[in-house]
Amino acid sequence: MRWSWRKAVAGGAAAFVAVCAWLMLQWYPIGASGRPVIVTVHAGEGLGAITNSLHRAGVLASPTAFRLDLAVEGSILVQPGDYQIAQGASFATVRSILSNPPNVVRLAVRPGLTIAEVVARMSAARGVEFGRRLQGALTPARTPSAFGGNSLEGLVGAGVYVVTPKMGPEALAREMVKRFEIQARSVGLAPSSTHHGLSAYEMVIAASIVEKEGYFPVNMPRVARTILNRLARGGGLQMDSTVLYALGRDGGRVTPADLRTRTPYNTYLHAGLTPTPICVVSTTALRAMLNPPPGPWLYFVVIDRAGHEAFAATFAEQLRNEQRARAAGL
């Protein structure tokens, strides 16, 4: 009987030691952490669901042990967003990362944005210094593009960029330029190619104007043809978007004073294309420039609140379309 009692005590003590050792290994994993993974925390998600996500991603070996850790150390408030955490990280590391704002930025670079707007978004997300360095990196001298040009405006790829804690502005700039080159080649635009009498860089310039003037994909092919027709005719393109770009504005009405502003981007005062692209371009706009439909159009105007545009070959026809736009309250 005494022997059985001693065996039970010894067994219980061994089990207690084993449990303590297991818990210590959960709290303080042996060896270096594993590869970093990104865990997304959704709005309204509780700690239980977050813990399960961490476990599925390989960050936590035991959700139960982490819940116990939270019970001992105190609960944390986790903000929605993306967090990069190494697999097998210590509980202290996990708590520290989750207790701070999300450390991964998903930067959405949509067609139509300018480099200045992209830099402003990163400055808001990562601080002014990061934005300043990104602006410096987004120059041909620091990050050259295969398409040339004296500016990287229009030569950064559209899409979402996952900016991790260790990703610097220079690496982000390189990824942006590389992505554009891949996107351009995907639609058949190579740096050395010429189309419609335009170099590849000039095609990007024209596509950026298509992006701003067409706005919706349905309009872009005929806007592209209109630009080519105006270039063939000679004189100014007379595109409001180019005037607004020089003024640092996006959309809105162009005033007579705006049209008299002397900048290289004022296509009412200067013939031909602008010196550089005026925004990020989509593959849709690039395709429109590469394969515009045949047509005699020289004018276009938005005629409804859905953004559809009417195209005209003569000024008289354009005036009738403008009357339609006014009748629609535009």
Side-chain angles (χ1 to χ4, degrees), residues 106-255:
R106 292 189 184 270
L107 175 65
V109 176
R110 63 171 179 78
L113 290 179
T114 64
I115 282 180
E117 290 170 325
V118 172
V119 168
R121 292 183 178 201
M122 276 309 301
S123 295
R126 277 291 173 83
V128 174
E129 178 60 19
F130 190 102
R132 185 190 65 78
R133 288 173 56 196
L134 178 61
Q135 186 170 36
L138 285 173
T139 58
R142 297 273 299 279
T143 313
S145 167
F147 285 82
N150 57 8
S151 167
L152 290 183
E153 193 75 89
L155 299 178
V156 299
V160 176
Y161 294 84
V162 180
V163 186
T164 59
K166 292 186 177 180
M167 187 179 197
E170 296 77 15
L172 176 58
R174 289 193 297 271
E175 184 177 338
M176 288 178 167
V177 170
K178 185 64 176 178
R179 184 177 295 188
F180 173 78
E181 292 173 1
I182 293 171
Q183 290 173 346
R185 289 181 185 275
S186 74
V187 298
L189 183 63
S192 60
S193 62
T194 58
H195 303 268
H196 315 299
L198 302 177
S199 69
Y201 184 64
E202 289 172 329
M203 287 288 288
V204 178
I205 294 174
S208 72
I209 300 173
V210 168
E211 192 72 55
K212 283 295 195 180
E213 294 287 342
Y215 196 77
F216 292 113
V218 67
N219 299 321
M220 291 184 182
R222 287 186 290 175
V223 170
R225 175 52 68 186
T226 301
I227 289 173
L228 291 173
N229 289 344
R230 288 192 180 185
L231 289 173
R233 179 189 62 176
L237 287 178
Q238 298 186 351
M239 299 287 175
D240 290 358
S241 60
T242 66
V243 176
L244 293 171
Y245 173 77
L247 297 174
R249 286 157 48 193
D250 183 18
R253 293 195 178 276
V254 175
T255 67

Side-chain angles (χ1 to χ4, degrees), residues 39 41-42 45-55 60 78 98:
V39 176
V41 174
H42 302 284
E45 199 168 26
L47 275 176
I50 296 171
T51 300
N52 291 335
S53 296
L54 293 168
H55 175 59
L60 301 176
V78 185
L98 294 180

Side-chain angles (χ1 to χ4, degrees), residues 259-290:
L259 297 180
R260 294 191 296 270
T261 305
R262 294 195 172 276
T263 75
Y265 291 87
N266 189 335
T267 53
Y268 286 85
L269 299 179
H270 301 285
L273 294 168
T274 52
T276 71
I278 61 173
C279 67
V280 175
V281 298
S282 63
T283 52
T284 302
L286 288 172
R287 284 194 190 96
M289 278 307 307
L290 286 165

